[in-house]
C-alpha cells in the first residue's frame, strides 16, 4: 500500500510551503528527501505522519486517509526530539505493553545501551524537568528507539541523527536499515551518505518535488 500524496498543498497563513505535491511510494521502498533549510521537508513529513491534515489534496498512508488512523501506521523521529518527563523506558514504549527484548533491540539499534548501563537507575531514569538533564543526542537516540519499538509499517526520519557524531550516526543508520527491512522509509537528511542504497531520492524546492 505504501504512501500516496495527490496534489497536496500546505500553507502557514499566506506562506505556501507545499504546492500541489504528488508522490507515490511503494510499500517497502526507501525514499530520501533533500532540500535547503526551510523548503518544507518537515512540513511534508508532518502531513505524512498525520500530525497535520492537508489543506487541499489527498494524503494516503497504508490505505488510510484519516489522520488519527494514519498516526497508528507511522513511526516518526521528529527533527526536534520531544521527550516526556517520565522514565527513559516509558519514553520508548509510550506506555504500551512491550516485550523486554523488543525494548532492548530498539535501545541497541539507537546505540543507547552503553550509556543507559552507566545510569544508576538504568532505563528507569527520569528525563525532563524533574529528572536528569540529558543531551540533545541522547534525546534524539531515545526518540529513535521509540520509533523502532513501535514496529510501524511506515517509518519517517527527519534529520533523525543530526545531533550525533558521524560514527554513531552511521551506526544508527545501519541499524535502522536492518530493522526496517520490508518497511516503507522516508528519510530527510542533509547528508547524502545516509541515503546510500535508497530506492529513490527527491529534492524539494519551491514547493515542488523533483527527481534527484
Ligand atoms: N508552525 C509554523 N508556522 C509558520 N511557519 C512555519 C511553521 N513551521 C514552518 N514554517 C515555515 O515553513 C517553511 C518550511 O518549514 P519546514 O520546517 O517544513 O522546513 P524544512 O525543509 O524542514 O527546513 P529545515 O531543513 O531547516 O528543517 C519555512 O519557511 C518555515 O519558516
Ligand atoms: Mg526540517
Amino acid at each position: 500500500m505504501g504512501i500516496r500524496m495527490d496534489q497536496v498543498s500546505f500553507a502557514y497563513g499566506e506562506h505556501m510551503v507545499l504546492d500541489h505535491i504528488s508522490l507515490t511510494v511503494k510499500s517497502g521502498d526507501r525514499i530520501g528527501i533533500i532540500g535547503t533549510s526551510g523548503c518544507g521537508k518537515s512540513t511534508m513529513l508532518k502531513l505524512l505522519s498525520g500530525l497535520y491534515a492537508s489543506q487541499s489534496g489527498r494524503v494516503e498512508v497504508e490505505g488510510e486517509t484519516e489522520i488519527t488512523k494514519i498516526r497508528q501506521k507511522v513511526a516518526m523521529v521528529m527533527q526536534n526530539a520531544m521527550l516526556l518527563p517520565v522514565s527513559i523506558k516509558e519514553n520508548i514504549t509510550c506506555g504500551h505493553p512491550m516485550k523486554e527484548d523488543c525494548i532492548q533491540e530498539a535501545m541497541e539499534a539507537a546505540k543507547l545501551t552503553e550509556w543507559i548501563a552507566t545510569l544508576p537507575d538504568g532505563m528507569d531514569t527520569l528525563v525532563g524537568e524533574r529528572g536528569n538533564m540529558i543531551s540533545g543526542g541522547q534525546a534524539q537516540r531515545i526518540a529513535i528507539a521509540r520509533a523502532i519499538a513501535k514496529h510501524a509499517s511506515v517509518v519517517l526520519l527527519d534529520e533523525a541523527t543530526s545531533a550525533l557524531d558521524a560514527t554513531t550516526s552511521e551506526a544508527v543508520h545501519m541499524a535502522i536499515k536492518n530493522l526496517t527491512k520490508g518497511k516503507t522509509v522516508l528519510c530527510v537528511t542533509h547528508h547524502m551518505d545516509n541515503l546510500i542504497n535508497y530506492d529513490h531520492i527527491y529534492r524539494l524546492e519551491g514547493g515542488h518535488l523533483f527527481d534527484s
Side-chain angles (χ1 to χ4, degrees):
M1 284 186 276
I3 292 174
R4 237 186 109 104
M5 296 176 87
D6 209 1
Q7 300 285 315
V8 173
S9 297
F10 193 90
Y12 294 101
E14 297 286 286
H15 179 194
M16 174 79 99
V17 176
L18 304 177
D19 186 5
H20 295 88
I21 292 223
S22 293
L23 169 73
T24 304
V25 181
K26 282 201 314 271
S27 185
D29 269 6
R30 291 162 191 280
I31 302 297
I33 310 276
I34 57 170
T36 54
S37 178
C39 72
K41 304 179 298 295
S42 295
T43 304
M44 187 172 145
L45 291 203
K46 285 172 184 170
L47 282 160
L48 289 174
S49 63
L51 207 60
Y52 293 169
S54 70
Q55 296 162 339
S56 75
R58 187 163 179 276
V59 174
E60 187 183 309
V61 178
E62 292 290 285
E64 305 289 357
T65 53
E66 267 179 56
I67 58 170
T68 50
K69 296 227 170 93
I70 289 177
R71 283 179 204 155
Q72 294 166 11
K73 301 283 183 188
V74 175
M76 167 141 101
V77 181
M78 294 184 63
Q79 191 166 15
N80 301 308
M82 293 282 286
L83 298 184
L84 300 168
V86 294
S87 69
I88 293 175
K89 184 175 178 174
E90 287 166 302
N91 265 288
I92 294 173
T93 63
C94 293
H96 298 301
M98 229 171 243
K99 287 205 182 104
E100 203 57 37
D101 34 329
C102 170
I103 301 171
Q104 291 297 336
E105 178 188 66
M107 285 200 339
E108 192 54 48
K111 300 292 159 215
L112 278 169
T113 318
E114 271 180 42
W115 166 58
I116 288 176
T118 67
L119 302 172
D121 293 328
M123 282 201 301
D124 297 319
T125 305
L126 288 178
V127 302
E129 291 149 349
R130 286 164 298 126
N132 285 18
M133 294 301 291
I134 59 167
S135 74
Q138 288 157 349
Q140 204 167 43
R141 282 179 287 150
I142 293 172
I144 290 165
R146 176 196 294 161
I148 289 168
K150 187 171 177 182
H151 283 279
S153 41
V154 175
V155 178
L156 307 179
L157 306 168
D158 193 355
E159 285 287 332
T161 59
S162 59
L164 307 184
D165 62 87
T167 312
T168 310
S169 169
E170 195 181 327
V172 169
H173 273 282
M174 283 297 290
I176 291 175
K177 190 171 242 168
N178 289 332
L179 288 176
T180 56
K181 286 215 169 79
K183 295 180 191 239
T184 310
V185 179
L186 252 82
C187 178
V188 165
T189 181
H190 289 291
H191 299 283
M192 294 294 277
D193 301 1
N194 296 334
L195 302 178
I196 290 169
N197 295 330
Y198 269 53
D199 295 298
H200 205 94
I201 299 172
Y202 292 98
R203 180 169 49 87
L204 185 57
E205 189 181 325
H208 305 287
L209 269 184
F210 300 92
D211 284 328
S212 182

